Amino acid sequence: ILQTDSMQVGQRVVTSEIGEVFPPGLYIGEIQEIRRSEDDLFQQALLTSPVDFSKLSFVSVLKK
């Protein structure tokens, strides 16, 4: 994530339509922590997931 992009802890993260792989607006998680890179060019956002993967048994993929 570029340093110029604005983020806040607690902010919700959703997919965009930029990559055209996933539909826009799918909830991915919430920003838990923000870290800057050592060269100060980028930043990272650590997310908490709404999914408890230890309890996930099946995944379905639906296509148009």
Side-chain angles (χ1 to χ4, degrees):
I1 303 168
L2 296 174
Q3 287 288 14
T4 55
D5 291 339
S6 176
M7 298 187 295
Q8 294 180 359
V9 172
Q11 182 176 357
R12 294 171 58 98
V13 177
V14 297
T15 57
S16 71
E17 56 190 17
I18 294 173
E20 298 179 2
V21 175
F22 301 103
L26 292 178
Y27 179 60
I28 295 181
E30 192 172 290
I31 297 176
Q32 177 183 357
E33 182 181 339
I34 300 169
R35 296 181 183 171
R36 294 186 181 273
S37 64
E38 291 180 14
D39 56 13
D40 284 331
L41 293 176
F42 299 97
Q43 53 187 339
Q44 293 180 326
L46 300 173
L47 305 179
T48 55
S49 174
V51 177
D52 182 353
F53 290 100
S54 68
K55 296 182 180 179
L56 189 63
S57 298
F58 298 97
V59 175
S60 296
V61 178
L62 306 175
K63 294 177 110 179
K64 278 186 173 180

